[in-house]
C-alpha cells in the first residue's frame, strides 16, 4: 500500500496545479479556438461552424497588414533594445559603488509602476500644448516655440516603442543581475591570470554563464510585449486609422467596437500561433547551442 502511495504521491501534489491550468488556461484557449471557427453574434452567442471564414474576413482587411507589421516592429524593437540596454545596466549595477542600492531602486521603479500610469505620464510629457518636455526645453532656452513630438503616426508609434522599452528594461536588468551575482569570482581570477582582457571575459565567461537568464527574460518579453495592450491603447488607441494598432488592440476593436467577435477570435488564434512558433524556435536554438557548448 505504501509503495502504491509513493508512486501516485507526486501526481497528487501536482493535481491542483493541473486543475487550475485546465480551468484558466486550456479551457479559455479552447473556447477562443471554437469561436474562431464559428459564427458568433454580437451578444457573444456561438452558433454554427463556419470553417476559415473568420480568418479570411479578418486577414482580408487592408488594416490587417498594417497591424501585423506594427506588431512585428513593436515586438522586435522593444525586446531587442530592452535586452541590450538591460544587459549593460546589469553589468553596471553588478559593480561595487556608493549608492548602488539607490541606483537599483531607481531602475526598478518603472517596472513597479502600472503600464497605464507610465503611458499616461509619457503622453503628458510629449503633449504639444502643455507637455513637460516642451516646457523644460523652453526654460532651458533650447527651443522658443512648442514642438509637435507626434506629427505623424510613425512618430507616435516610435514614442510608444520608447515607452515599451523604458518599462521593459528593469525586468531584463534584474534577470541578468541575478545570473551575474551567481558567477564565481574564481572564473574571472583564472582568466585574469591567463592574460584575458575585459572583452574576452565578457564573451567567454559572463555571457555564456548568464545565457539561461537571458533566455528566460527574452522568451517572457516576447510573450509580454507581443500581448501588451495598455501602452498602445492609453497613448493612441491605435489611431489614426489603425496606423499605430498592434494585433491585441486591433482585435479588441473588432470584438468590442465592431461586434465581430468571431474575427477577433481568429486574430487571437493567429497571434497565439505566431507566439508559439517564435518562442519554440528561440528555445530550440538556445538549448541546442547550450548542448553544443
Amino acid at each position: 500500500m505504501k509503495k502504491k502511495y509513493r508512486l501516485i504521491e507526486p501526481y497528487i501534489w501536482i493535481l491542483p496545479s493541473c486543475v487550475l491550468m485546465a480551468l484558466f488556461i486550456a479551457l479559455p484557449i479552447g473556447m477562443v479556438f471554437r469561436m474562431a471557427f464559428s459564427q458568433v453574434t454580437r451578444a457573444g452567442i456561438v452558433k454554427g461552424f463556419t470553417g476559415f471564414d473568420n480568418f479570411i474576413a479578418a486577414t482580408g482587411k487592408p488594416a490587417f497588414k498594417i497591424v501585423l507589421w506594427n506588431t512585428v516592429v513593436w515586438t522586435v524593437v522593444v525586446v531587442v533594445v530592452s535586452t541590450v540596454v538591460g544587459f549593460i545596466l546589469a553589468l553596471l549595477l553588478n559593480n561595487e559603488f556608493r549608492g548602488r542600492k539607490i541606483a537599483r531602486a531607481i531602475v526598478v521603479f518603472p517596472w513597479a509602476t502600472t503600464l497605464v500610469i507610465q503611458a499616461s505620464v509619457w503622453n503628458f510629457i510629449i503633449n504639444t500644448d502643455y507637455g513637460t518636455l516642451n516646457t523644460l526645453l523652453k526654460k532651458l532656452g533650447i527651443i522658443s516655440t512648442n514642438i509637435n513630438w507626434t506629427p505623424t503616426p510613425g512618430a507616435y508609434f516610435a514614442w510608444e516603442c520608447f515607452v515599451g522599452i523604458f518599462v521593459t528594461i528593469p525586468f531584463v536588468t534584474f534577470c541578468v543581475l541575478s545570473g551575474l551575482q551567481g558567477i564565481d569570482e574564481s572564473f574571472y581570477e583564472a582568466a585574469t591570470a591567463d592574460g584575458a582582457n575585459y572583452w574576452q571575459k565578457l564573451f567567454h565567461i559572463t555571457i555564456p554563464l548568464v545565457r539561461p537568464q537571458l533566455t528566460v527574460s527574452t522568451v517572457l518579453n516576447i510573450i509580454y510585449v507581443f500581448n501588451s495592450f495598455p501602452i498602445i491603447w492609453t497613448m493612441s488607441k491605435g489611431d489614426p486609422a489603425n496606423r499605430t494598432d498592434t494585433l491585441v488592440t486591433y482585435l479588441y476593436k473588432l470584438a468590442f467596437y465592431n461586434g465581430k467577435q468571431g474575427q477577433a477570435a481568429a486574430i487571437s488564434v493567429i497571434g497565439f500561433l505566431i507566439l508559439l512558433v517564435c518562442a519554440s524556435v528561440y528555445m530550440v536554438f538556445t538549448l541546442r547551442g547550450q548542448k553544443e557548448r
Side-chain angles (χ1 to χ4, degrees):
M1 190 68 179
K2 288 183 178 180
K3 289 183 178 179
K4 290 183 179 180
Y5 177 74
R6 287 177 181 175
L7 289 174
I8 65 172
E9 183 181 9
Y11 300 101
I12 294 174
W13 283 107
I14 66 172
L15 181 61
S17 298
C18 292
V19 172
L20 289 174
M21 290 176 65
L23 288 174
F24 296 105
I25 298 178
L27 183 60
I29 290 175
M31 293 174 65
V32 171
F33 269 82
R34 181 187 173 215
M35 291 175 64
F37 291 95
S38 305
Q39 181 184 357
V40 186
T41 66
R42 283 181 172 269
I45 299 173
V46 180
K47 292 188 174 181
F49 177 77
T50 58
F52 289 93
D53 288 354
N54 287 326
F55 291 88
I56 294 171
T59 58
K61 297 178 185 297
F64 178 77
K65 293 181 180 179
I66 299 172
V67 171
L68 185 61
W69 174 248
N70 286 347
T71 306
V72 173
V73 173
W74 161 259
T75 305
V76 171
V77 169
V78 173
V79 172
V80 171
V81 177
S82 64
T83 299
V84 173
V85 177
F87 182 80
I88 295 171
L89 270 178
L91 292 175
L92 295 174
L93 293 175
N94 193 47
N95 296 321
E96 290 285 348
F97 60 88
R98 183 177 295 178
R100 184 172 68 168
K101 291 183 179 180
I102 297 175
R104 289 181 177 181
I106 293 172
V107 170
V108 81
F109 180 75
W111 188 35
T113 311
T114 61
L115 294 180
V116 173
I117 293 175
Q118 289 280 351
S120 300
V121 169
W122 279 102
N123 232 6
F124 177 79
I125 290 173
I126 64 175
N127 185 276
T128 304
D129 299 321
Y130 51 81
T132 52
L133 181 57
N134 277 332
T135 302
L136 176 63
L137 293 177
K138 286 171 73 174
K139 286 187 176 181
L140 293 174
I142 297 175
I143 61 174
S144 57
T145 57
N146 289 348
I147 296 175
N148 182 8
W149 298 103
T150 56
T152 63
Y156 217 139
F157 192 66
W159 276 106
E160 290 170 342
C161 289
F162 170 79
V163 176
I165 294 166
F166 182 75
V167 300
T168 307
I169 286 172
F171 175 71
V172 179
T173 300
F174 283 92
C175 279
V176 176
L177 190 59
S178 66
L180 291 174
Q181 292 180 336
I183 300 176
D184 195 332
E185 286 295 327
S186 62
F187 290 110
Y188 295 107
E189 292 172 359
T192 302
D194 290 337
N197 58 32
Y198 174 81
W199 298 107
Q200 289 172 326
K201 294 176 187 177
L202 177 65
F203 286 103
H204 295 286
I205 298 176
T206 304
I207 292 179
L209 290 179
V210 299
R211 185 172 281 114
Q213 286 76 21
L214 279 173
T215 301
V216 171
S217 67
T218 303
V219 171
L220 291 179
N221 270 339
I222 290 172
I223 297 170
Y224 293 155
V225 173
F226 187 93
N227 291 319
S228 182
F229 177 84
I231 294 174
I232 302 291
W233 191 256
T234 303
M235 294 190 71
S236 68
K237 288 185 171 57
D239 295 330
N242 303 114
R243 293 290 176 178
T244 61
D245 262 323
T246 59
L247 285 178
V248 178
T249 56
Y250 181 60
L251 71 87
Y252 180 86
K253 289 180 179 178
L254 282 176
F256 299 106
Y257 279 34
N258 303 328
K260 299 177 180 178
Q261 298 186 33
Q263 293 182 28
I267 298 293
S268 297
V269 170
I270 292 171
F272 173 78
L273 295 177
I274 292 173
L275 273 180
L276 183 64
V277 171
C278 291
S280 300
V281 169
Y282 183 83
M283 289 291 290
V284 167
F285 277 99
T286 303
L287 293 174
R288 184 180 296 174
Q290 290 178 358
K291 288 180 180 179
E292 290 176 356
R293 288 177 182 274

